Amino acid sequence: MPQEWWKPTWSVPAAMRAVRAAVVVPSLFAIAYMVIGSPQAALYAVFGGIATLVIAGFGGTRSNKLSAHTWLAVVGSLALIIGTLVSGTTWLAALVTVPVTFAIFFGGIVGPNAATGAIAAMFAYVLPVVSAGGAATIPSRLEGWWMASVAGTIAVLLLSPPAPGDRLRAAAAELAGGLASRLRAAADGQTTTPAAMRAAREPLRSAFDAAPYRPTMLGTADQALGSLVQLLEWGASQVGDAFDGHIDVARSCPQDRALLRAAAGLFADTQALLAGQAANPDLAALEKARTLSAERLRDLSGRAGEPDARVAAAQAVHAQSIAVVARGAAADALIVSHRASAEAVEAERRDWYGFSIDAATAAAAPAAIVPAIATPAAAALAAAANSPRIQGLIGAVTLVRRHASIRSVWFLNSLRAAVALAAAVAVADASGVQHAFWVVLGTLSVLRTNAAATGSTALRALGGTVVGFVVGAALLIGIGTHPGALWAVFPVAVLVAAYAPGTTPFLVGQAAFTVTVVVVFNLLAPVGWTIGLLRIEDVAIGCGVSLAVGVLLWPRGASSVVGDDLADAFRSGAAFLTQAVDWALSELMVPPAASIAAVSAGIRLDDAMRCFLTEQGSKKLGKEDLWTLVNAATRLRLTAHTLAALRPATPVASADPAVGVVPWSACLPLAGSDGYAGAPACTELRIEAADLAGFYGTIAQEVSRPSPGPTTVSPPLLMAPATPRQASTADANAPVEASPEPELPHPHLLWVQEHLHHLSKDAQSVSEPAQHMAEVRRRPWWR
């Protein structure tokens, strides 16, 4: 039987939070007001305590929490000083509020703790920016803020529930172990179903999507974990596609079986590293197995009439692709477990931040051709550029550039909050209300990402404030304004207000906070129940400001950004695909540059999806349709990534020590006169890739700027697989396939064709959800 909406739920973390606040906040108020004798310090200690102990719910280890609370104290101090200095002039206060608010909210891109601490940091700004007092009050205000910061941090570190364990790492370890088992089974000739692999990756996807923010921060280990999650999910998709029975894995050659076992070993090492165990992934052995598999294909392709050449190539397609995933997963796991070398970390950063695959190696290629360029000064400069500090700075700059766009929910949310709070500051000062900061706090507390959610939250905020006023007024009428009675009520009011967030309806929290406010201000200056009435007036003004800004700026909320980000993901993924196919088939020296835009678009889409799923109110677009489109965009990008990674940017080692290394062209001995492997066959593959890119471009146009009337987006023709597939019910209902597959001069080209086949097969399910999204986007936002 479901619990009634009005009943509070029991939560141990919320109870600990409430106990901490009920002890610390009244104690700080008593010390600042009665011992130090500073009303300013007392007021800022109370609001600082609420910000530190109630609003800011930092996660992670004690070290993570200590770091987050320290940053909150520093950022809050800067905001407090700025707010105090500009508070004397209305226009200046409103103007400065825009960059301060934007910077604090936009800083959430760093990680979940920075995102959850944004509102807490704003508490240190909204109180002084609309309060009387010049620079002379800064020391006493900072004194109260730092008292709250220090005491609150100590309380959090001493009185917190045991860490539940890293659910994300545990889920990643579980999937890595499952992939290792499935690959060993495939090497023994056993099949698996795509449905089984989807079920296997579901716990990891649930753990990654559980929070409204990406559960990884800007730190190296966090970036590696985020990359690892993506690789493991992609590996599960690859395994489901590879061993679903369309090829006879029992007939795989020994080289491909050895490659699968090597990949299984790396996945097993990934599981061990994530579980905190010692492991030493043998990446060199995997690369040797990849080389042997490629050489086996060259041998088969050189024999006229070889009956199993095409089958062997199709089997090698999947073995090589899965090996690429296993190699990346093991490298990321080493970084997550802090066992990777500095060189390995630098190499992996290129993928995390969207740099081109093996970009550093490719950039160094001209120096190898012209040795005179590689001077000692250039070498020193390159070494400095690869230092962890410089690479971290590059990563931070890349992160800011990635989200400095109207396609980013972080940018739009920050801009919207900045405009709303600036308007609230201007209205509060111009209206001359007695407690102007309640106007700004009211705006801050009810502002949501869409107009409908802001309106409903505003109603609940007003309702909660009215209830709190009634309770507070009745309390004061009953006990009066005697300090002893108010001191007895103070901890109880804080206890309820601190327990309410997340365990009771929003209205209850507002009511409890209003009672706390009534008690605090009557302790500072007894005025009776009228303080509650003033709070109702101020909160109503703040709610009105939020609603007006919500209607004028971004009324649809995250749903419109999801559509735009989907369009970007499809466009950038299509460009990446065409470049990756060309890179995989040619002797080009420069790797695909479109990977940068594709990675950035994928991350912005992930953030927009999280924001959309956590928005209040009903969703106009079905989640199943939305996830179909998101998964299609992700698969497009990762397919291009796999194709680009199949070809090494540097010469590959030969199994024969006497040979040493061989260039990429040796793997494609039938290269045409134009420098491309098998020019006629490559032309066919480029045409197929261009057709797919054109289809995804049309989908992008449909979900981004839907045409006025209903349209039909036809899926691309289903491309022929690299080898005849076994008959199945699904194949019987599939669209008519394209023209008969061309004769390919080298089995390596089948690697590309197999990936394009799976991508075109996946594209069959994209058209209808795209049309549904277009229909939703054509409606007015209020419907």
Side-chain angles (χ1 to χ4, degrees):
M1 181 178 178
Q3 184 172 334
E4 288 83 353
W5 66 270
W6 51 269
K7 285 186 178 180
T9 58
W10 171 249
S11 169
V12 173
M16 288 189 172
R17 178 181 66 207
V19 171
R20 291 195 304 254
V23 171
V24 173
V25 173
S27 300
L28 291 174
F29 183 82
I31 293 172
Y33 185 57
M34 303 179 69
V35 177
I36 299 176
S38 172
Q40 287 284 334
L43 184 61
Y44 281 79
V46 169
F47 279 90
I50 292 174
T52 302
L53 294 167
V54 181
I55 305 300
F58 299 131
T61 64
R62 280 185 166 81
S63 176
N64 297 140
K65 293 178 180 179
L66 176 61
S67 175
H69 278 285
T70 301
W71 276 108
L72 173 60
V74 172
V75 173
S77 298
L78 293 175
L80 187 153
I81 294 171
I82 295 172
T84 301
L85 293 177
V86 302
S87 61
T89 307
T90 299
W91 69 266
L92 181 61
L95 183 65
V96 171
T97 296
V98 174
V100 170
T101 304
F102 183 89
I104 290 175
F105 276 90
F106 193 70
I109 62 176
V110 173
N113 279 347
T116 56
I119 293 181
M122 288 302 302
F123 263 57
Y125 180 78
V126 298
L127 185 57
V129 77
V130 288
S131 299
T137 63
I138 290 178
S140 59
R141 291 176 174 183
L142 283 177
E143 184 179 23
W145 175 258
W146 274 97
M147 286 175 59
S149 298
V150 173
T153 301
I154 294 174
V156 168
L157 296 180
L158 294 180
L159 188 61
S160 291
D166 196 327
R167 180 188 169 199
L168 184 60
R169 283 185 63 162
E174 181 181 357
L175 181 54
L179 288 173
S181 299
R182 293 313 311 156
L183 288 180
R184 293 191 184 101
D188 293 334
Q190 300 178 26
T191 62
T192 189
T193 63
M197 294 314 304
R198 284 194 295 270
R201 73 186 183 192
E202 184 58 33
L204 179 58
R205 171 50 60 182
S206 298
F208 192 69
D209 291 338
Y213 313 111
R214 289 175 66 88
T216 53
M217 293 179 283
L218 193 57
T220 300
D222 290 293
Q223 292 293 312
L225 183 58
S227 172
L228 179 58
V229 168
Q230 177 178 270
L231 284 173
L232 291 175
E233 288 190 332
W234 180 232
S237 298
Q238 294 271 55
V239 170
D241 287 344
F243 310 123
D244 61 356
H246 78 277
I247 58 175
D248 188 357
V249 293
R251 297 176 57 194
S252 298
C253 68
Q255 290 85 347
D256 289 339
R257 290 173 182 265
L259 182 54
L260 290 177
R261 290 191 178 95
L266 290 188
F267 279 124
D269 289 338
T270 298
Q271 181 186 26
L273 290 169
L274 293 176
Q277 302 170 7
N280 186 23
D282 194 346
L283 301 180
L286 181 82
E287 292 306 316
K288 181 179 179 181
R290 289 189 64 198
T291 301
L292 291 174
S293 174
E295 289 179 347
R296 167 66 173 169
L297 290 179
R298 288 203 309 274
D299 292 341
L300 288 176
S301 65
R303 298 172 187 169
E306 172 64 55
D308 293 331
R310 301 182 68 82
V311 175
Q315 293 165 345
V317 166
H318 301 294
Q320 291 280 347
S321 300
I322 293 169
V324 169
V325 176
R327 180 187 62 192
D332 284 337
L334 285 169
I335 298 173
V336 171
S337 58
H338 304 284
R339 297 172 183 267
S341 65
E343 294 78 8
V345 172
E346 192 277 329
E348 287 300 300
R349 276 197 176 104
R350 290 194 290 273
D351 280 347
W352 305 341
Y353 300 135
F355 303 154
S356 298
I357 299 170
D358 286 329
T361 304
I369 297 172
V370 187
I373 299 177
T375 63
L381 182 61
N386 288 332
S387 68
R389 181 173 297 179
I390 295 299
Q391 289 296 323
L393 178 61
I394 292 174
V397 172
T398 303
L399 185 66
V400 172
R401 291 181 60 188
R402 175 177 292 155
H403 289 285
S405 165
I406 58 173
R407 295 287 194 265
S408 170
V409 291
W410 288 105
F411 183 89
L412 290 175
N413 269 330
S414 303
L415 180 62
R416 193 166 181 263
V419 173
L421 292 184
V425 168
V427 170
D429 278 348
S431 62
V433 294
Q434 185 173 346
H435 295 287
F437 60 86
W438 293 123
V439 176
V440 187
L441 277 180
T443 302
L444 183 66
S445 63
V446 304
L447 189 65
R448 297 298 183 267
T449 58
N450 60 59
T454 299
S456 63
T457 306
L459 291 176
R460 285 179 289 160
L462 282 175
T465 303
V466 171
V467 172
F469 161 69
V470 172
V471 173
L475 182 67
L476 291 178
I477 291 173
I479 66 174
T481 58
H482 189 276
L486 293 175
W487 275 110
V489 173
F490 190 13
V492 178
V494 174
L495 182 77
V496 176
Y499 185 82
T503 61
T504 63
F506 183 71
L507 183 147
V508 176
Q510 283 292 109
F513 192 48
T514 300
V515 173
T516 303
V517 169
V518 169
V519 172
V520 168
F521 278 91
N522 273 282
L523 283 171
L524 288 172
V527 293
W529 57 268
T530 56
I531 186 68
L533 189 61
L534 293 175
R535 174 164 160 77
I536 294 176
E537 176 190 6
D538 298 341
V539 170
I541 296 174
C543 290
V545 172
S546 283
L547 188 57
V549 173
V551 171
L552 295 175
L553 296 178
W554 201 20
R556 290 181 181 270
S559 62
S560 60
V561 185
V562 168
D564 292 339
D565 285 344
L566 268 171
D568 282 349
F570 283 127
R571 290 192 190 99
S572 60
F576 189 14
L577 178 68
T578 55
Q579 291 186 16
V581 169
D582 203 39
W583 161 260
L585 299 177
S586 72
E587 289 289 339
L588 294 175
M589 295 300 298
V590 180
S595 63
I596 301 173
V599 170
S600 295
I603 291 177
R604 287 196 298 265
L605 176 58
D606 180 77
D607 289 335
M609 275 292 295
R610 292 175 186 276
C611 184
F612 174 76
L613 293 176
T614 55
E615 276 185 343
Q616 299 176 3
S618 59
K619 304 293 188 292
K620 298 177 182 179
L621 182 67
K623 289 184 179 180
E624 184 175 348
D625 286 341
L626 190 55
W627 277 117
T628 298
L629 293 170
V630 171
N631 290 335
T634 302
R635 189 181 186 100
L636 173 62
R637 174 171 55 86
L638 292 179
T639 298
H641 175 86
T642 304
L643 285 170
L646 280 172
R647 169 192 163 178
T650 57
V652 297
S654 172
D656 185 356
V659 176
V661 298
V662 294
W664 176 243
S665 57
C667 297
L668 301 170
L670 300 181
S673 59
D674 61 351
Y676 290 95
C682 288
T683 299
E684 293 291 335
L685 290 176
R686 288 192 185 90
I687 291 174
E688 292 178 349
D691 289 343
L692 270 171
F695 166 75
Y696 283 111
T698 303
I699 291 294
Q701 180 69 20
E702 186 68 6
V703 300
S704 174
R705 298 181 181 276
S707 54
T711 59
T712 301
V713 182
S714 300
L717 292 175
L718 186 61
M719 296 178 186
T723 186
R725 307 175 74 88
Q726 297 178 1
S728 66
T729 303
D731 290 334
N733 296 327
V736 179
E737 294 193 351
S739 58
E741 56 182 287
E743 287 296 324
L744 299 178
H746 192 281
H748 166 76
L749 304 182
L750 297 180
W751 295 4
V752 177
Q753 188 186 34
E754 183 76 0
H755 282 292
L756 294 180
H757 164 77
H758 284 290
L759 191 58
S760 65
K761 183 180 178 182
D762 182 71
Q764 309 300 307
S765 62
V766 175
S767 299
E768 187 174 349
Q771 293 169 22
H772 292 167
M773 171 169 276
E775 292 171 2
V776 170
R777 298 202 68 179
R778 281 192 289 265
R779 301 174 191 166
W781 66 265
W782 58 86
R783 288 180 53 192

